[in-house]
């Protein structure tokens, strides 16, 4: 389901909302490559398929790594790039995240009710204010059922810091204007990463969103949408 920012942009802009393979409502299956390396290639190919030569790209969490990899490694070009609480800098991956990835086969065999409870608590922790029950249900739903449960642990198992280590030294080559938005109450990726990342990307700017957790788009949708709209419409 498109978020508030996408709906706010749609009346004046052509908006594409992408589910990464193995996530959301996209297909999920055994043996699927859902690594950030694969996602970066697919995103660059998808932009070419859509005929988007220099789109404005707004990317959150893993999407930040994917957008950066597509740009730096696969030739994708952007008019401008907004990174919202992105996975981009070492270290990342909490102890719980690493445990789930290291024991994916074991956790994949949890009874469905226990798995559902684990996913709910995991996603709940990404919000500072607490998620509305309907929003939490929507975010949890893709990871339920036999296919969803396997996919949840598969994507954690396949992803790790190596995919950002490969590109962290290339951030000085990022070409488009970059806005870095970060929730000040993000417990998944601490807000101090915002200034660190800005120091590596020439000309980038930071916009902090107060009292928002990792899911800024849910905790502070109006503030985030205003920041993205301003960035999209500014000159240059």
């Amino acid at each position: 389901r498109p978020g508030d920012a996408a709906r706010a942009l749609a009346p004046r802009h052509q908006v594409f909302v992408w589910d990464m393979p193995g996530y959301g409502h996209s297909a999920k299956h055994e043996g699927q490559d859902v690594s950030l390396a694969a996602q970066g290639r697919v995103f660059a190919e998808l932009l070419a398929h859509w005929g988007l030569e220099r789109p404005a790209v707004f990317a959150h969490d893993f999407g930040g790594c994917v957008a950066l990899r597509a740009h730096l490694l696969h030739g994708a070009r952007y008019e401008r790039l907004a990174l919202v609480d992105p996975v981009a800098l070492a270290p990342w991956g909490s102890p719980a995240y690493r445990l789930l990835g290291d024991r994916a086969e074991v956790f994949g065999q949890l009874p469905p009710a226990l798995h559902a409870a684990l996913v709910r608590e995991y996603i709940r922790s990404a919000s500072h204010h607490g998620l509305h029950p309907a929003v939490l249900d929507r975010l949890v739903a893709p990871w339920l059922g036999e296919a969803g449960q396997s996919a949840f642990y598969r994507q954690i198992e396949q992803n790790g810091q190596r995919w950002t280590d490969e590109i962290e030294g290339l951030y000085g080559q990022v070409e488009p204007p970059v806005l870095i938005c970060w929730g000040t109450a993000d417990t998944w990726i601490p807000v101090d990463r915002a200034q660190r990342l800005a120091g590596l990307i020439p000309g980038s700017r930071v916009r902090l969103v107060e009292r928002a957790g990792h899911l800024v788009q849910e905790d502070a949708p109006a503030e985030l949408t205003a920041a993205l709209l301003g960035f999209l419409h500014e000159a240059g």
Side-chain angles (χ1 to χ4, degrees):
R1 185 182 69 91
D4 292 322
R7 288 194 298 272
L9 290 168
R12 295 179 57 189
H13 303 275
Q14 186 178 33
V15 178
F16 295 79
V17 180
W18 178 46
D19 262 343
M20 295 191 299
Y23 291 76
H25 296 288
S26 294
K28 304 173 180 68
H29 58 80
E30 292 298 327
Q32 188 176 20
D33 186 352
V34 295
S35 69
L36 292 171
Q39 305 289 359
R41 292 193 301 271
V42 170
F43 185 54
E45 292 168 0
L46 185 61
L47 294 179
H49 173 74
W50 281 337
L52 301 177
E53 295 183 0
R54 293 181 65 92
V57 173
F58 298 161
H60 173 259
D61 188 72
F62 272 172
C65 175
V66 170
L68 288 166
R69 288 184 66 92
H71 175 60
L72 294 167
L73 301 181
H74 305 296
R77 302 185 68 193
Y78 311 139
E79 178 187 353
R80 57 190 64 240
L81 174 63
L83 300 170
V84 183
D85 295 63
V87 172
L89 295 173
W92 63 269
S94 67
Y97 181 91
R98 290 192 295 271
L99 176 63
L100 294 174
D102 290 343
R103 301 290 185 271
E105 184 176 350
V106 174
F107 284 103
Q109 298 177 51
L110 282 174
L114 288 180
H115 164 74
L118 185 154
V119 175
R120 289 183 73 85
E121 289 307 310
Y122 181 79
I123 293 176
R124 197 195 308 271
S125 70
S127 168
H128 177 61
H129 298 298
L131 297 168
H132 186 281
V135 173
L136 182 59
D137 287 345
R138 172 171 55 83
L139 296 176
V140 169
W143 304 118
L144 303 182
E146 185 177 351
Q149 181 165 342
S150 296
F152 180 75
Y153 301 109
R154 183 183 306 118
Q155 52 93 14
I156 297 176
E157 181 181 29
Q158 291 186 21
N159 287 312
Q161 191 177 297
R162 63 191 181 280
W163 304 126
T164 53
D165 287 346
E166 282 187 355
I167 58 171
E168 192 170 326
L170 303 177
Y171 291 163
Q173 301 175 26
V174 172
E175 296 177 355
V178 172
L179 175 68
I180 300 167
C181 296
W182 221 290
T184 59
D186 188 341
T187 59
W188 281 24
I189 312 178
V191 67
D192 64 359
R193 303 286 200 284
Q195 294 297 343
R196 280 183 50 200
L197 184 58
L200 297 175
I201 300 178
S204 59
R205 292 176 287 119
V206 172
R207 173 70 176 268
L208 300 183
V209 183
E210 297 295 332
R211 297 178 298 281
H214 187 67
L215 289 175
V216 184
Q217 64 271 40
E218 299 295 344
D219 284 355
E223 291 89 337
L224 179 61
T225 300
L228 296 177
L229 282 167
F231 180 55
L232 183 61
H233 294 152
E234 70 184 19

